[in-house]
Amino acid sequence: MAIRPILSSLARHRIAAGLIVAEVALALAFVSNALHMIAERVERLNVRTGLAESELINLDLRAIAPIEEHEALTQEDLRRLRALPGVKGVAVVNQVAFGDNNNNSGVNNKPDNAGTRAGAASYEGDEHFLGVHGLKLIAGRNFLPEEVLNNSAFDKAPETQVPALIISKELADTMFPGQSAVGKPLWVFNGSSTVVGVVEALTNTNPSFARTRHALIAPLRHSYRGGTYVLRVEPALRQQLIRQATAVIREVDPRRSVRRGKTLEEMRSSYFAEDRSMTWLLAGVSVALLTVTAFGIVGLASFWVAQRTRMIGVRRALGATQAQIRQYFQLENLLLCGGGVLLGMLGAVALSHFVMQPQGTPALPWLYLPIGALLLLLLGQLAVLAPARKAASLPAAAAMRA
């Protein structure tokens, strides 16, 4: 079909044609970036922590009066909590995933800040840490009881070296690419520590802002005063055991209370609440914008059919078939949407570079441009289909009299 008559007709309707082009360009620029942001957030929502999330409870304690014997109280807490039916294990740690604390440490594979350096989430716990959290050890071993230091003593003697570390696979691959990390030294805290084990995965406590999954576990034993309790329990008994564990804490010493008692799944849900809301908001706005674009195309195409009824009648009288009339309007729409798509691609890249990236969003991957372009071109063809069919169905005699 000749394009020249279509271009001539569009030139006579520059404002209407420009509106469709601008509408398609705006939709593509926004929707491409929105799809990218939605994909980023969906990936974030599905982050793998490496933990037995469905079995974990976090108890965060606070004292309501001065207490000196906090280490002895912690040991009594652990003894009684481990005796509760349905409890598989209990550990005291410095931080938990999706919690309030976010401790990180710089790690080097050579002394004096030389060699490869990386930041890592810095967890601290005793030999119960791995089992309670459900972490999968893929190389090496767990901490030995004699390797575990009291955190209070460690704080009082800054020169003390941590004898052993367990690290995540991602940190091991960064520090020792193509090699086994077990038995090798890492320089962290106050000197070198030997890697004794590697776990398959362990997330940062603040995964939304962590660019890597580098993590380490140091053998430091905490009391309730500087740590938080993590219980691994039967999933069906989680809420019941939160109540029972809270009562146990009060029984051991009523000068303390449980500031927060939540399952890890509840903590995860609260942590990602904003991301979920933003995902639905972006999806809703994208659908609304595409709907408005589709209705705009339908409205303008219907207007043009009404304006060009006599032209349609002339073409039908000269022998044009219904299929040719329909194809005329579909090709006209394809040219308009194609122009909008080209402008929209430039707009999408500009929006990503000047607006999204300064806010911390990664650059828009090029793959979203053809996906968005195809989506808008298909939408345009679907939107113009009804007006095109209406134009094609007009009888020649009736159209000539209009």
Side-chain angles (χ1 to χ4, degrees):
M1 180 178 290
I3 296 180
R4 186 182 298 273
I6 297 177
L7 296 178
S8 177
S9 176
L10 292 177
R12 291 194 299 271
H13 301 83
R14 286 188 294 272
I15 295 178
L19 286 175
I20 291 183
V21 170
E23 202 169 19
V24 171
L26 177 64
L28 178 59
F30 179 86
V31 170
S32 296
N33 281 279
L35 289 175
H36 176 42
M37 293 177 66
I38 290 172
E40 288 280 318
R41 278 163 172 75
V42 169
E43 183 180 1
R44 193 181 299 172
L45 290 170
N46 293 318
V47 64
R48 183 164 166 258
T49 61
L51 309 175
E53 294 187 35
S54 64
E55 303 177 46
L56 297 183
I57 291 172
N58 172 227
L59 298 180
D60 197 7
L61 278 60
R62 68 176 179 182
I64 56 179
I67 300 176
E68 294 297 329
E69 62 277 19
H70 52 88
E71 292 186 355
L73 285 176
T74 299
Q75 293 307 308
E76 180 63 16
D77 289 340
L78 294 176
R79 185 186 68 81
R80 296 185 60 172
L81 290 172
R82 287 166 180 158
L84 290 175
V87 173
K88 300 178 181 180
V90 186
V92 190
V93 301
N94 66 322
Q95 59 184 7
V96 292
F98 314 118
D100 299 329
N101 291 342
N102 184 27
N103 297 320
N104 296 273
S105 298
V107 185
N108 288 80
N109 61 3
K110 291 184 180 179
D112 301 322
N113 291 323
T116 303
R117 181 172 178 81
S122 184
Y123 290 90
E124 298 168 5
D126 59 16
E127 67 273 17
H128 299 284
F129 189 102
L130 295 187
V132 169
H133 287 85
L135 294 171
K136 183 179 179 181
L137 193 67
I138 59 174
R141 59 171 175 81
N142 194 6
F143 295 131
L144 301 175
E146 57 267 25
E147 292 173 330
V148 181
L149 308 175
N150 281 333
N151 185 68
S152 57
F154 181 75
D155 287 341
K156 293 176 182 177
E159 71 281 358
T160 303
Q161 292 188 1
V162 174
L165 292 174
I166 296 174
I167 64 177
S168 66
K169 182 180 183 299
E170 186 168 313
L171 180 59
D173 291 340
T174 299
M175 293 290 104
F176 309 104
Q179 308 174 51
S180 171
V182 176
K184 291 184 171 60
L186 285 177
W187 278 260
V188 62
F189 302 116
N190 304 315
S192 67
S193 304
T194 302
V195 177
V196 299
V198 178
V199 293
E200 185 176 44
L202 179 57
T203 187
N204 189 287
T205 60
N206 193 6
S208 290
F209 298 96
R211 296 188 179 276
T212 68
R213 299 182 68 188
H214 294 159
L216 63 86
I217 308 164
L220 296 174
R221 182 181 292 110
H222 284 263
S223 71
Y224 75 85
R225 191 167 67 177
T228 183
Y229 289 179
V230 177
L231 288 70
R232 187 175 184 182
V233 304
E234 293 292 342
L237 301 177
R238 286 177 296 179
Q239 296 301 328
Q240 175 185 328
L241 283 168
I242 288 176
R243 294 190 294 271
Q244 292 178 349
T246 300
V248 165
I249 299 300
R250 295 285 292 174
E251 289 174 7
V252 172
D253 193 317
R255 294 175 294 176
R256 302 171 304 160
S257 64
V258 175
R259 183 178 68 89
R260 178 181 63 201
K262 286 186 176 182
T263 68
L264 193 63
E265 287 184 340
E266 289 173 336
M267 293 173 66
R268 183 188 184 113
S269 178
S270 298
Y271 180 86
F272 285 122
E274 186 176 334
D275 285 306
R276 283 197 304 275
S277 298
M278 181 59 71
T279 299
W280 284 111
L281 176 62
L282 288 170
V285 172
S286 297
V287 170
L289 185 56
L290 291 174
T291 302
V292 169
T293 301
F295 276 113
I297 294 173
V298 170
L300 285 173
S302 299
F303 173 76
W304 282 350
V305 169
Q307 291 291 306
R308 288 183 275 183
T309 301
R310 186 172 180 82
M311 181 204 76
I312 295 169
V314 170
R315 294 199 63 191
R316 290 298 307 276
L318 293 175
T321 65
Q322 289 188 0
Q324 288 173 328
I325 298 296
R326 185 173 63 250
Q327 289 168 7
Y328 174 93
F329 284 98
Q330 288 180 310
L331 180 56
E332 181 180 68
N333 176 267
L334 184 62
L335 291 174
L336 289 172
C337 290
V341 161
L342 292 177
L343 291 177
M345 285 183 174
L346 296 176
V349 173
L351 181 62
S352 173
H353 182 75
F354 293 108
V355 179
M356 309 308 299
Q357 292 182 52
Q359 303 299 321
T361 302
L364 178 68
W366 70 268
L367 183 62
Y368 286 95
L369 296 178
I371 291 176
L374 182 61
L375 178 63
L376 265 298
L377 291 175
L378 289 175
L379 180 67
Q381 289 298 296
L382 290 174
V384 81
L385 191 58
R389 283 181 172 176
K390 179 181 178 181
S393 64
L394 287 174
M400 288 289 289
R401 290 195 299 269

